[in-house]
Amino acid sequence: MQILPPVRPEQSIQRLTQALEPIAEKLKVVPRRRILWMHKNQPQLYLFLQGELSILRSSDGLLIVTVYEPHLFGLAEMLQPIHGHLLRAETESTILRVDAHKARELFHKNGLWEDVASIVSYHTGYLFYRDDLVVQQRTYSVIRNHLEEMMLLPEETRQRVAILDYIQERTHLSRSSILNVVSALKKGGYIDFERGGYLTSISRLPERF
């Protein structure tokens, strides 16, 4: 049984964003630019405010998730600098950058560590959710899960990101595997997409195909 995505800790995100904004540097980031965790040899936190921002696995560029709502990144890296993933802007985006050591001082001063823990826990929960979508799943199940996920995207994004690109970047499934399933689903009347492979609608997808 597929698990549900974790609930975003909205209030914790808002409190930390409000606390960090006065000491943050505002950045306008162009599409496809990758964002590094270090700036002037100092670890950074990033407050994503507007646009689209993706998290990629550093080892192979696998896309873990794309976010569209305000969020905060770098908390886990501040505590354990593994740097197992990186950030990439998908559209022109507005981001705030904060030195991690200044953020730690502010968290201590204002008693915000519970909010930090809440966001780190959310990120951990999302990794479990994503693994449930792809790990040890049949090819069809992986594609079905991602088609259903695509229908939750903003319409503007679905009109810009083709089904093939969306699934390949997040799963590394072969082009032929994805196209075979997607074509069969369209012939069966389960999905519809525009020229170029832009998803427009899905019916209730079968558990097996």
Side-chain angles (χ1 to χ4, degrees):
M1 186 175 109
Q2 183 178 323
I3 65 172
L4 297 175
V7 177
R8 271 172 52 95
E10 301 288 357
Q11 293 185 350
S12 291
I13 293 170
Q14 291 175 10
R15 279 192 290 267
L16 293 188
T17 299
Q18 290 172 0
L20 291 168
E21 276 186 315
I23 63 171
E25 176 186 3
K26 189 174 184 179
L27 305 174
K28 286 286 188 180
V29 185
V30 297
R32 309 305 285 182
R33 177 181 169 185
R34 295 190 173 193
I35 301 162
L36 304 178
W37 295 114
M38 302 294 288
H39 176 66
K40 295 182 179 180
N41 295 320
Q42 294 296 321
Q44 304 293 304
L45 299 186
Y46 291 99
L47 290 84
F48 167 67
L49 300 183
Q50 188 177 32
E52 292 182 24
L53 195 70
S54 290
I55 304 175
L56 310 178
R57 192 162 63 189
S58 298
S59 60
D60 58 4
L62 183 74
L63 198 156
I64 305 300
V65 65
T66 300
V67 297
Y68 308 91
E69 301 176 86
H71 208 69
L72 177 58
F73 299 102
L75 294 173
E77 289 70 24
M78 177 182 71
L79 302 170
Q80 188 65 253
I82 297 174
H83 299 162
H85 62 280
L86 51 86
L87 306 175
R88 183 182 73 195
E90 302 297 349
T91 62
E92 183 173 316
S93 300
T94 303
I95 298 173
L96 302 181
R97 180 171 61 199
V98 184
D99 282 353
H101 73 276
K102 292 181 180 179
R104 290 177 72 111
E105 292 174 359
L106 186 146
F107 297 156
H108 281 300
K109 180 179 178 181
N110 294 283
L112 294 170
W113 284 107
E114 185 174 343
D115 289 318
V116 171
S118 179
I119 295 174
V120 172
S121 177
Y122 169 74
H123 290 168
T124 301
Y126 193 91
L127 291 176
F128 280 115
Y129 162 70
R130 193 199 168 280
D131 282 351
D132 190 60
L133 294 182
V134 298
V135 175
Q136 295 183 346
Q137 295 270 16
R138 294 168 57 246
T139 297
Y140 168 70
S141 297
V142 173
I143 294 171
R144 182 196 64 210
N145 290 340
H146 282 82
L147 287 170
E148 290 175 340
E149 186 176 73
M150 285 191 76
M151 285 307 298
L152 301 177
L153 297 174
E155 184 175 355
E156 179 183 347
T157 301
R158 280 193 286 110
Q159 293 292 322
R160 183 169 48 80
V161 181
I163 295 171
L164 178 62
D165 295 334
Y166 185 89
I167 297 176
Q168 263 199 310
E169 204 167 20
R170 287 161 175 77
T171 65
H172 288 179
L173 289 174
S174 70
R175 177 185 178 89
S176 59
S177 295
I178 298 169
L179 290 177
N180 286 341
V181 172
V182 169
S183 297
L185 287 172
K186 184 172 184 179
K187 288 179 182 177
Y190 294 104
I191 68 172
D192 197 15
F193 51 83
E194 296 177 352
R195 183 178 178 85
Y198 302 106
L199 184 66
T200 55
S201 65
I202 63 174
S203 302
R204 183 177 178 84
L205 299 177
E207 288 296 317
R208 298 179 183 275
F209 200 77

